[in-house]
Amino acid sequence: EAQVTQNPRYLITVTGKKLTVTCSQNMNHEYMSWYRQDPGLGLRQIYYSMNVEVTDKGDVPEGYKVSRKEKRNFPLILESPSPNQTSLYFCASKYGTETLSGANVLTFGAGSRLTVL
Amino acid sequence: AQKVTQAQTEISVVEKEDVTLDCVYETRDTTYYLFWYKQPPSGELVFLIRRNSFDEQNEISGRYSWNFQKSTSSFNFTITASQVVDSAVYFCALSEVRAAGNKLTFGGGTRVLVKP
């Protein structure tokens, strides 16, 4: 089954304790992205990757890191989490990286709910 | 810069009523794509529809219909004869062809509650 898999789905942690949210897709998509969802704000893009070793900041990158060493994986790293990073996180992927691939549909993971105390 | 506004934060209806969700967007691009996603209580995001900026035909899919009007920069979504299973948060989103990183910009979402 074609899918984007995120782990963990739920996590409660404390301020300053480094954590990683993994994301893996099995559709051979070039493009991957991370979003966070907060009430009233919809989903906002954190980072994206157009292909292996190519990553760039989205709208809200502060406090996050990413890497893209393999095509299928795109982990989100919180080096020193803070309470304002409490949110619902979504990883997504889609086919293509050229300009017109803006038309392509993003496939989302099931979401990871993170609470930072 | 691209922007999507969903002015209705929450709509409550009784089953079998029709409900229309408003979506207004801003873009400087002439080529762009509009999307609707559904987020049921289980939390996942489900793709509903995509429309490009050159196709203003309305679309109907079962009880769902979409009205795209470039003149008012709107892409509204109507659920006809709503059912309890339609209870969800619905997001409208915009993708500009020339946007850096092919970014998909979301509106704030509209929560629809359908009561039996």
Side-chain angles (χ1 to χ4, degrees):
Chain A
E1 179 187 355
Q3 59 185 358
V4 177
T5 304
Q6 299 177 224
N7 281 296
R9 294 286 316 281
Y10 302 91
L11 179 63
I12 300 174
T13 190
V14 295
T15 299
K17 186 176 181 182
K18 180 180 179 180
L19 68 93
T20 298
V21 185
T22 64
C23 174
S24 180
Q25 49 95 3
N26 63 1
M27 296 166 281
N28 202 35
H29 285 167
E30 292 85 0
Y31 181 95
M32 297 186 74
S33 181
W34 277 101
Y35 284 81
R36 61 177 287 173
Q37 180 182 351
D38 301 290
L41 298 177
L43 282 80
R44 294 176 293 167
Q45 189 182 56
I46 303 171
Y47 269 94
Y48 64 93
S49 170
M50 302 288 267
N51 216 322
V52 176
E53 302 291 2
V54 181
T55 63
D56 209 342
K57 298 176 181 178
D59 294 323
V60 287
E62 296 78 20
Y64 304 95
K65 287 175 56 177
V66 294
S67 68
R68 187 91 181 272
K69 294 183 172 60
E70 305 165 285
K71 196 172 187 179
R72 64 183 292 125
N73 296 323
F74 190 44
L76 179 69
I77 303 158
L78 287 72
E79 293 272 4
S80 183
S82 62
N84 65 12
Q85 292 179 297
T86 293
S87 187
L88 178 59
Y89 292 87
F90 285 98
C91 180
S93 72
K94 67 177 178 179
Y95 172 75
T97 58
E98 69 278 8
T99 297
L100 291 180
S101 64
N104 296 343
V105 176
L106 273 174
T107 298
F108 285 87
S112 296
R113 186 167 293 281
L114 171 64
T115 301
V116 183
L117 302 176
Chain B
Q2 55 192 55
K3 183 180 179 181
V4 177
T5 302
Q6 295 179 253
Q8 306 147 306
T9 54
E10 184 165 325
I11 301 175
S12 182
V13 298
V14 176
E15 209 169 17
K16 297 184 182 176
E17 288 184 344
D18 297 347
V19 55
T20 295
L21 284 60
D22 298 332
C23 172
V24 175
Y25 62 91
E26 296 177 27
T27 177
R28 291 175 294 185
D29 216 338
T30 55
T31 304
Y32 52 89
Y33 297 87
L34 295 163
F35 301 79
W36 277 94
Y37 281 84
K38 174 182 180 179
Q39 186 178 45
S42 51
E44 74 272 22
L45 287 159
V46 179
F47 166 74
L48 294 178
I49 190 173
R50 173 188 60 202
R51 175 64 84 224
N52 75 56
S53 53
F54 298 107
D55 183 1
E56 285 194 72
Q57 282 191 335
N58 292 332
E59 179 151 344
I60 298 175
S61 176
R63 295 183 297 104
Y64 294 172
S65 62
W66 290 268
N67 182 349
F68 176 32
Q69 292 194 338
K70 284 180 75 170
S71 61
T72 56
S73 297
S74 65
F75 186 42
N76 297 337
F77 172 33
T78 297
I79 304 172
T80 302
S82 61
Q83 300 177 1
V84 172
V85 293
D86 296 325
S87 296
V89 180
Y90 293 86
F91 291 99
C92 180
L94 165 71
S95 174
E96 291 177 338
V97 167
R98 284 191 282 251
N102 290 309
K103 184 175 67 176
L104 191 61
T105 297
F106 285 81
T110 298
R111 181 179 300 277
V112 174
L113 177 60
V114 181
K115 300 176 182 177

